[in-house]
Amino acid sequence: MTSELSPLLSDTAPGRGALRPARSWLHSDAPSLSLNGPWRFRLSPTAWVSQDFAAEGFDDQQWDSIPVPSHWVLQGDGAYGRPIYTNIQFPFPIDPPHVPDENPTGDYRRHFHVPAEWSAADRIVLRFDGVESLFRVWVNGVEIGSASGSRLAHEFDVTSAVRPGDNVVAVRVHQWSAASYVEDQDQWWLPGIFRDVTLLVRPVGGIEDVWLRTGFDNGQGRLDPEVVADSTAFPLTLRIPELGVEQVWSSAADVKPLMVADVQPWSAEQPRLYDATVSSATERIALRVGFRTVEIRGDQFLVNGHRVVFHGVNRHEAHPERGRVFDEEHAREDLARMKRFNVNAIRTSHYPPHPRLLDLADEFGFWVVLECDLETHGFDKVGWAGNPSDDPAWREAYLDRIQRTVERDKNHPSIVIWSLGNEAGTGSNLAAMSAWVHARDAERPVHYEGDYTGDYTDIYSRMYSSVAETEEIGTDGARTKLFNCTPSQSIRQRTKPFLLCEYAHAMGNGPGALDEYEALVHRHPRLHGGFVWEWRDHGILATTPDGTPYYAYGGDFAEVVHDGNFVMDGMLLSNDVPTPSLHEYKAVTQPIRFTFDDEKVAISNLRHSADTSDLRFRWRVEHDGTPVASGDLDVSVVTAGGSGWAELPHVAAAPDAETWLTIEAVLAAATAWAPEGHRVATAQLDYSVSRPAPAVRPRKDWHPGDGTLALGIAEFVGGSLARLAGRVVTGPRLELFRAPTDNDESPSDGIEGSDDSTPGVSHAELWRSEGLDRLTSRRLSVAHAADALRTLDKVSAANSGAYVMVESVWSLEDGELELRVEIEPSSGWGSVWPRIGIRFGLPDDNAPIDGAEWFGLGPLESYPDSLRAARMGRFASTIEDLAVDYARPQESGHRSQLRRLTLSSGETEVLRLEALPDLYGRRPGYTLSRHTPQQIAKARHAFELPESTTSHLTIDAAQHGLGSRACGPDVQPEFALRPQARTIRLRLTAG
Ligand code: GAL
């Protein structure tokens, strides 16, 4: 046994022997050999294992085989340990720079064949694109070096160690090392060689590195090339055939900036790329050049002279089976999906992605904030004592990280901002990183959210600031002090462009208020939009002991410390299904806005620089959701930032149906990311003639009764509904509870201006303590009248004096069954309410209610602060598809502003409901589910839900908003549901 490793494991330096300076990840025609594929593998529980395996002749026949790239914890069905999820917590003692002896260590070996011709190479380089966290390399038994910086590329010169014919490479990877202290991002800890390993020939006369910096000004492109090559590489030729560029450089002195005429600029909207090559006699490098100028002018962030609004997402590399192993097809599909949902920007949270992702970002068109692999959030636990960001011992590692980040990806036009990292406190090492970037790449601004006071960064950035606080940042008048800033620092920050590097935490059902953030961007030019947290859930595909597949989150792998489902906070579920929040996002950020004015509609183009010539505009009229007419709108091309008008068709309102006009902007031709006809933007206008609900018929003939009778399709026993349209029905009972969303479950930080902000207490806790999930009821009276039944119930919870009186009146009106429920709360209710509704139970009775068709808002779920994606129409769904499969079961499926609903069993229509508006014109929403809120609230995963024999229909007079409290602001007061009296009126008929 040797203990040679100990100095490396706790070494704050980034490793020994990797080539410096780092260089671009280039597409070269020099020979290379991919070492991806099966490697021999052995896992040891500690770092203290013999290094004999590195010897050339070591016998690895008894070892397992593992694919490279992969994470060992996602291979071998648990044989190599399990993933660990933590957000901020370090899953090891905070004892920097040391890590525990329990340190899973993977030893890898493989043979490879070096062709004889490679002997002519100048050098042979071994490149690792990503290894977590610290690794050490030997070739043919010769120690080559070591490196840390998990999501960064490292190259080693192996020329003297390799030989023609058979060779063997051995790699030792430690899960934990000093580097783990600076890689504390909120994600799974996933050790292993998880990106490509490649052997590269560096030819004599080859090109070490190229940087084609570009600019764009008034139709002219600027190229500012930088080449790293020794004198044997010259002459070099730069070619951009499409632009007629052919420049021969005889020596390094010739490599100078040049102007190129008739160039189309690159933007996220029109990602114009030109193929370029730089060649020597022995090597050709292929690049794709995009011309664009990034600039900060005053407090504006501009590309090609136009202000950029970031409609962005935070993107992690996450795949349910592969973890952070890159899959190009999957990534490509993800980016296409982003484009379809009007996402125009990506923050590569919180590390550089696989380098190919940036090729795709250039090609599809995204504004990219490229973030360095750095986070030390766990030091928060110890008051930031010993934080590496302010400790000179870590300076070299910090500089190494940012250099590897910038050098690898510097050629990409999509990257418009460099970000130093995330949640690493603050300190001189971060300032040093920023200084290095400024010297190396003067054009692209530096971002780092943790520099609250703006001491060393160019952009003012915050995460999760409330709408009100964000607005204050955009405004000068009040001169409010900004977060963590003195008055003068606040003034300094207000001179910079502002970005929300994270906002709208999309955990579970939510977020609310996306539209309010968006509105700010158009009111205050300093505010440049932001990046939703986050693009996708990081669930890991697992199976229960009985073989049911599910997406695992923190705690599902018996981790010692973990952060539960905080890793399931994407707008996309783990299985790529967009949640309603992504649809909401798309609607809120649509680049084309419509304003109706009489017979015309104003069409505003909010894009950065693209006009509307790629779009077609169409309209349709619906009566109660049924299309009756449609056509195209005649719209002339609207330039970016401009607006135009279109005549609306003549719309005649139907006398007996709601009449709605819908207009849409759709793609006129297919793009790389969507087919022709794809909807980019939409708006609706209500032409309906107002038809007030029938007045409540006054009755004077009430008299006590036993409550056993039939009224139209309803049968009552003892005052309770027993059957509807011949089917057994239970309820309706008052329902004030919803299965808490992740936002509802999140404790208040006590500083928000919301209702119920007791520090450390969540809404859900208040609801449970008030007994909203366990209401009981006592019947006070039953009365009969001609064609009518009235009951009065007092509903309350154990150990509570507060109650709700519920008066239910069943009657026949115009031959139809009507139910009117008056919900009247007593005083003394403390918290906001999740909902005010009534719930029916519809037992299966051999014919389960399994489908719904409705006229109202749809097609997806909606809540008071997330209504923008919903449109008025007629929709149908199976009961399963009405709810979203959030990783942790919770409230889902509410459809707002219901007009009519038909419940069906298979092909058979069972029951029809018409929802009448209340006195204020408000309509209820509905939820149809196989489980009650109480059942859903108990399950951590969908597979824990009990078998169901009943469908449950809840008609809600109101629902509480969603908010974003899981990480950020609570439901805005205007969408918070305070206890209040409400009326629900339904007409029911048999199907
Ligand atoms: C932020 C952090 C993200 C993520 C998010 C909550 O503070 O930067 O990495 O943890 O909160 O999901």
Side-chain angles (χ1 to χ4, degrees), residues 736 766-772 774-776 794-804 826-831 833:
L736 299 179
L766 294 174
W767 299 342
R768 283 186 287 254
S769 76
E770 296 212 323
L772 299 188
R774 48 181 168 81
L775 296 176
T776 58
K794 183 174 177 181
V795 180
S796 50
N799 198 32
S800 168
Y803 60 90
V804 181
S826 70
S827 61
W829 290 96
S831 67
W833 276 353

Side-chain angles (χ1 to χ4, degrees), residues 87 186 350 377 422-423 463-464 502 505 533 566 569 967:
N87 167 16
D186 175 6
H350 301 300
H377 207 170
N422 186 59
E423 297 183 322
M463 48 174 80
Y464 310 109
E502 294 177 29
H505 194 249
W533 188 269
F566 208 63
D569 49 7
C967 186

Side-chain angles (χ1 to χ4, degrees), residues 230-237 247-255:
D230 65 29
S231 56
T232 59
F234 289 88
L236 292 174
T237 312
Q247 286 257 321
V248 181
W249 301 314
S250 331
S251 72
D254 287 350
V255 182

Side-chain angles (χ1 to χ4, degrees), residues 744-779:
D744 295 337
E745 284 288 7
S746 192
S748 165
D749 55 16
I751 54 169
E752 3 172 321
S754 72
D755 288 62
D756 307 339
S757 21
T758 311
V761 179
S762 70
H763 290 300
E765 266 176 271
L766 294 174
W767 299 342
R768 283 186 287 254
S769 76
E770 296 212 323
L772 299 188
D773 57 336
R774 48 181 168 81
L775 296 176
T776 58
S777 134
R778 181 165 69 83
R779 177 138 302 159

